[in-house]
């Protein structure tokens, strides 16, 4: 699959997540406060590139917020659905900007290709 198509898909996911969030009627302050919380997973890189990639990728997989949304819907947890949508939005944003899932050989190597200094190397 082309990188351009994957980036377009990320933009579509971002748009649908924001639209879905708006439909929930949840607070936009909560949206802003939580928007970059998945990026806290970069702390995994303190344990090295292999551990960092595993932690980062776990937090930046669409599966995790999808499971949260499904469990929330089934259990009637009204707050968890907007949280799952906020979690999904920055994943889509990252993919749209070309920041993909990380490879274990370094932060700048992703499934969408090299980013930052790795692109110039």
């Amino acid at each position: 699959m082309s990188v351009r198509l994957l980036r377009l898909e990320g933009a579509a996911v971002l748009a649908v997540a924001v639209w879905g969030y708006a439909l929930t009627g949840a607070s936009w302050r909560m949206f802003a406060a939580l928007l970059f919380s998945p990026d806290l997973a970069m702390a995994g890189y303190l344990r090295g590139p292999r551990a960092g990639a595993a932690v980062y990728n776990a937090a930046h997989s669409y599966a995790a917020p999808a499971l949260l949304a499904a469990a929330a819907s089934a259990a009637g947890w009204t707050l968890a659905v907007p949280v799952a949508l906020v979690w999904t939005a920055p994943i889509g944003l990252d993919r749209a900007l070309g920041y993909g899932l990380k490879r274990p050989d370094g932060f700048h190597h992703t499934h969408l290709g090299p980013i930052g200094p790795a692109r110039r190397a």
Side-chain angles (χ1 to χ4, degrees), residues 12-24 28 31 35 85-86 88-90:
V13 167
L14 170 62
V16 170
V18 172
W19 176 60
Y21 187 87
L23 293 177
T24 69
W28 287 103
F31 186 90
L35 185 59
L85 290 165
V86 174
T88 304

Side-chain angles (χ1 to χ4, degrees), residues 30-61:
M30 181 175 79
F31 186 90
L34 295 176
L35 185 59
F36 296 106
S37 58
D39 289 336
L40 294 173
M42 283 190 277
Y45 279 92
L46 295 173
R47 306 283 280 159
R50 184 168 299 281
V55 172
Y56 184 91
N57 291 345
H60 286 81
S61 165

Side-chain angles (χ1 to χ4, degrees), residues 1-107:
M1 193 176 273
S2 78
V3 172
R4 185 173 290 162
L5 182 58
L6 291 172
R7 291 178 72 168
L8 183 60
E9 177 186 60
V13 167
L14 170 62
V16 170
V18 172
W19 176 60
Y21 187 87
L23 293 177
T24 69
S27 164
W28 287 103
R29 285 184 183 180
M30 181 175 79
F31 186 90
L34 295 176
L35 185 59
F36 296 106
S37 58
D39 289 336
L40 294 173
M42 283 190 277
Y45 279 92
L46 295 173
R47 306 283 280 159
R50 184 168 299 281
V55 172
Y56 184 91
N57 291 345
H60 286 81
S61 165
Y62 291 128
L67 289 172
L68 175 60
S73 294
W77 304 330
T78 57
L79 182 60
V81 171
V83 169
L85 290 165
V86 174
W87 189 354
T88 304
I91 297 171
L93 176 62
D94 284 355
R95 305 272 172 90
L97 295 175
Y99 296 94
L101 297 173
K102 306 304 180 210
R103 300 201 185 276
D105 59 336
F107 182 81

